[in-house]
Amino acid sequence: MRSRTLALGAVAGAALLASATLPSYASGTSKTASVREGSVSAAALLAKVTSCSQLSNGKYRTDDETSASIPVCGKNGAVFWKADMDVDCDGQRTSKCNENTDPWYQDDTAFHQSNGKPLKADSLPYVVVPSSSGIWNYAGAGIKGGGVVAVIYNNKVEYAVVGDTGPTKIIGEASYATAQALGVNPDPESGGADSGVTYILFKNSQVSPIENHGAAVSLGDQLAKQFIRDN
């Protein structure tokens, strides 16, 4: 639900200078990042999204300062895009996600837990979709809050849910927990990935309760297998 005014590229220099002191997840060496969720490999999923049948009426930017170059593409049973990853820390206030750790912090998410509270970005893997606009209407494409997403980066697969909405013209954002699980620096100000992230959103899927990550992995694995069979 944020509107970033500072692109990742603007802080890349600072992040590079700090790389010597970054924790292990920044280089993808942590134990968490080495674990593949489900039984479907990143290579098997990526082999099905090598070409794009564009669904969106236009293309998205990855940050305010970049040109619009990212289309939303369609496949049987899913939509996908290939972009960067900005880190979303919005939702419940925690020691890792708050006004002091994130200049763009907001204490709410578009979709809520089963108890009505916002999601927890530092513990729940979730993905941000662009708010509906003339470019693309995610709901009209069968994408809903709690829908399952396979997020692929550096040959790793992480299953997440659709948990928040973002600016109408920007794409490529996921929660702190998603970044951390994929070995991406989850710092919302200086972290993220500049490119190379694939998001596959499975149509008409929904995890209930939305905060049950285990259920997202189980359903995601089933849907990934079906996606490969159908494409």
Side-chain angles (χ1 to χ4, degrees), residues 144-229:
K144 60 186 76 176
V148 181
V149 187
V151 188
I152 305 163
Y153 178 73
N154 197 22
N155 292 318
K156 300 180 181 73
V157 180
E158 176 71 12
Y159 289 105
V161 292
V162 175
D164 204 358
T165 57
T168 57
K169 296 181 180 180
I170 295 177
I171 206 166
E173 190 173 4
S175 69
Y176 183 111
T178 309
Q180 187 174 47
L182 288 168
V184 173
N185 179 2
D187 186 294
E189 185 171 10
S190 62
D194 288 329
S195 62
V197 185
T198 300
Y199 304 81
I200 302 175
L201 293 76
F202 299 108
K203 295 179 181 179
N204 302 311
S205 63
Q206 191 166 38
V207 175
S208 183
I210 191 174
E211 65 269 22
N212 187 336
H213 179 60
V217 175
S218 178
L219 180 57
D221 194 47
Q222 296 176 39
L223 293 171
K225 292 175 182 176
Q226 182 177 341
F227 177 73
I228 290 173
R229 288 195 302 266

Side-chain angles (χ1 to χ4, degrees), residues 8-220:
L8 284 175
V11 297
L16 186 62
L17 290 172
S19 62
T21 58
L22 286 175
S24 60
Y25 51 66
S27 59
T29 58
S30 73
K31 182 177 180 182
T32 299
S34 67
V35 175
R36 183 180 78 196
E37 291 195 317
S39 61
V40 180
S41 70
L45 288 168
L46 291 175
K48 300 297 183 178
V49 294
T50 56
S51 61
C52 176
S53 176
Q54 185 170 329
L55 294 180
S56 54
N57 294 321
K59 296 182 179 181
Y60 288 96
R61 303 172 183 269
T62 55
D63 293 289
D64 285 333
E65 295 85 351
T66 61
S67 60
S69 61
I70 309 297
V72 174
C73 309
K75 285 285 184 177
N76 290 328
V79 302
F80 74 92
W81 55 81
K82 300 180 180 183
D84 66 344
M85 182 186 289
D86 290 334
V87 178
D88 191 337
C89 233
D90 294 343
Q92 292 188 48
R93 189 176 285 101
T94 67
S95 61
K96 296 175 181 176
C97 290
N98 56 64
E99 296 88 342
N100 296 320
T101 63
D102 181 3
W104 305 277
Y105 175 74
Q106 297 182 43
D107 62 0
D108 200 6
T109 50
F111 307 106
H112 291 171
Q113 295 181 164
S114 54
N115 62 4
K117 294 182 178 181
L119 305 181
K120 286 186 177 180
D122 64 358
S123 60
L124 180 69
Y126 72 72
V127 164
V128 182
V129 297
S131 296
S132 295
S133 71
I135 300 177
W136 183 59
N137 178 357
Y138 67 87
I143 305 303
K144 60 186 76 176
V148 181
V149 187
V151 188
I152 305 163
Y153 178 73
N154 197 22
N155 292 318
K156 300 180 181 73
V157 180
E158 176 71 12
Y159 289 105
V161 292
V162 175
D164 204 358
T165 57
T168 57
K169 296 181 180 180
I170 295 177
I171 206 166
E173 190 173 4
S175 69
Y176 183 111
T178 309
Q180 187 174 47
L182 288 168
V184 173
N185 179 2
D187 186 294
E189 185 171 10
S190 62
D194 288 329
S195 62
V197 185
T198 300
Y199 304 81
I200 302 175
L201 293 76
F202 299 108
K203 295 179 181 179
N204 302 311
S205 63
Q206 191 166 38
V207 175
S208 183
I210 191 174
E211 65 269 22
N212 187 336
H213 179 60
V217 175
S218 178
L219 180 57

